[in-house]
Amino acid sequence: MKIKEVIRTLEHFAPLPLQEDYDNAGLQVGLTEAEVSGVLLCLDVTEQVIEEAEAKGCNMIVSHHPLIFRRLNHLTDENMVQRCVISAIRKGITIVSMHTNLDSASGGVNYMIARQLGLMPESILLIDTHEVEGVEGGSCIIGELPEALSAEAYINKVKESFHAGCVMTNELLQRPIKRIAVCGGAGSFCLSKAINAGADAFLTGEMHYHDYFDHEQEIQITVIGHYESEQYTRELLEQIIHKAHPEVRTVITEYNTNPIRYW
């Protein structure tokens, strides 16, 4: 099995045209004609992750967040991104990233969040839909819990489900919560879509300070952290690869690459 075949499978599930204009998903570093010795799955590519891939015999890394997000004008040792590129090339490791295209794909990152939260699969809908290369996509989904919960019970469920150090929220909603909109990562732009879709609550990883205002008793905003909202993306990538290529060895990184600590 060649690396390019694994990439083709990933991009069939989440076509690159689904990504946002600012994004840089897809092949980051390396060659694609090599045989796959193993695939390491992670959220973020760090020097530690590259060392792990080499130690575990993986010549391919698939990450959620792109290693190269902004243009590189030179390659030196001045920052982590440049050092990672140099290290990957030296070690013969190919790096591929599935970012906002995987966020938007039907069955993608947001669906993993919904599954972890326990939303009923038959209730889940894309709020804003568009289709690319036969794949339906959208930046936000909505679904329902099996039973309505009080605001406090719902927030506790969110914190437990995502092992979140804290949950940032607006004032507690004084009505039951059942219908929940979801957007992994930085989801401020989806808040109005969630409200228009009739959601009782909106779950995301990051929100701007001023976006919390003026929604009291309209919707329960629940923000759990960027890493926390996307942590199950690694399992999703594993499922996509295994379904098409069960013979390919996959390894989920043992490192928590979240740079944020809660005290």
Side-chain angles (χ1 to χ4, degrees):
M1 180 65 59
K2 292 187 176 182
I3 288 174
K4 67 179 181 182
E5 295 174 71
V6 177
I7 296 174
R8 189 179 300 122
T9 292
L10 292 168
E11 293 183 1
H12 177 75
F13 184 93
L16 291 181
L18 277 178
Q19 71 180 306
E20 300 294 333
D21 293 341
Y22 61 80
D23 202 6
N24 186 40
L27 180 64
Q28 304 283 295
V29 176
L31 306 177
T32 63
E33 289 291 340
E35 297 288 326
V36 180
S37 63
V39 184
L40 184 70
L41 307 169
C42 60
L43 254 68
D44 310 283
V45 180
T46 65
E47 292 166 279
Q48 195 174 34
V49 167
I50 292 174
E51 293 291 338
E52 180 186 17
E54 181 184 39
K56 294 180 176 177
C58 297
N59 64 348
M60 182 178 185
I61 293 174
V62 180
S63 68
H64 182 45
H65 297 137
L67 171 63
I68 304 172
F69 200 78
R70 298 174 180 85
R71 186 178 67 179
L72 296 178
N73 294 318
H74 51 261
L75 280 176
T76 67
D77 62 352
E78 72 177 30
N79 60 47
M80 186 189 74
V81 171
Q82 294 181 44
R83 291 193 299 271
C84 282
V85 171
I86 293 170
S87 178
I89 292 171
R90 283 176 172 170
K91 298 178 188 300
I93 295 173
T94 297
I95 300 174
V96 177
S97 302
M98 296 284 108
H99 192 211
T100 54
N101 53 320
L102 192 60
D103 289 335
S104 295
S106 179
V109 174
N110 291 330
Y111 288 77
M112 290 295 286
I113 297 171
R115 185 185 307 172
Q116 190 67 21
L117 190 58
L119 302 188
M120 296 183 293
E122 67 274 12
S123 73
I124 296 173
L125 298 169
L126 284 161
I127 291 179
D128 50 339
T129 60
H130 55 279
E131 189 171 299
V132 172
E133 298 178 8
V135 176
E136 190 177 46
S139 54
C140 188
I141 64 173
I142 194 167
E144 295 186 352
L145 292 166
E147 296 180 358
L149 298 173
S150 68
E152 184 175 356
Y154 159 72
I155 292 168
N156 286 332
K157 178 179 178 62
V158 168
K159 186 172 183 178
E160 180 180 346
S161 298
F162 296 91
H163 311 290
C166 68
V167 175
M168 292 179 286
T169 184
N170 55 347
E171 71 175 29
L172 296 186
L173 206 61
Q174 300 302 309
R175 68 170 192 269
I177 292 175
K178 185 175 177 67
R179 192 167 168 83
I180 301 167
V182 170
C183 178
S188 291
F189 69 99
C190 277
L191 178 60
S192 60
K193 298 176 184 179
I195 293 169
N196 292 336
D200 300 310
F202 176 57
L203 174 65
T204 189
E206 291 183 45
M207 286 274 291
H208 299 299
Y209 172 82
H210 293 285
D211 290 331
Y212 286 83
F213 284 102
D214 205 29
H215 299 297
E216 297 79 10
Q217 299 308 313
E218 182 178 38
I219 193 169
Q220 191 73 67
I221 297 171
T222 37
V223 179
I224 60 176
H226 197 118
Y227 178 93
E228 286 78 7
S229 72
E230 296 178 337
Q231 61 188 294
Y232 302 106
T233 303
R234 299 167 298 188
E235 285 77 9
L236 172 61
L237 291 166
E238 185 173 55
Q239 291 167 18
I240 295 167
I241 294 171
H242 275 187
K243 184 175 180 180
H245 310 293
E247 72 280 15
V248 172
R249 182 172 63 94
T250 56
V251 179
I252 293 177
T253 180
E254 64 184 57
Y255 296 112
N256 179 336
T257 58
N258 188 1
I260 298 171
R261 299 292 180 267
Y262 299 100
W263 290 85

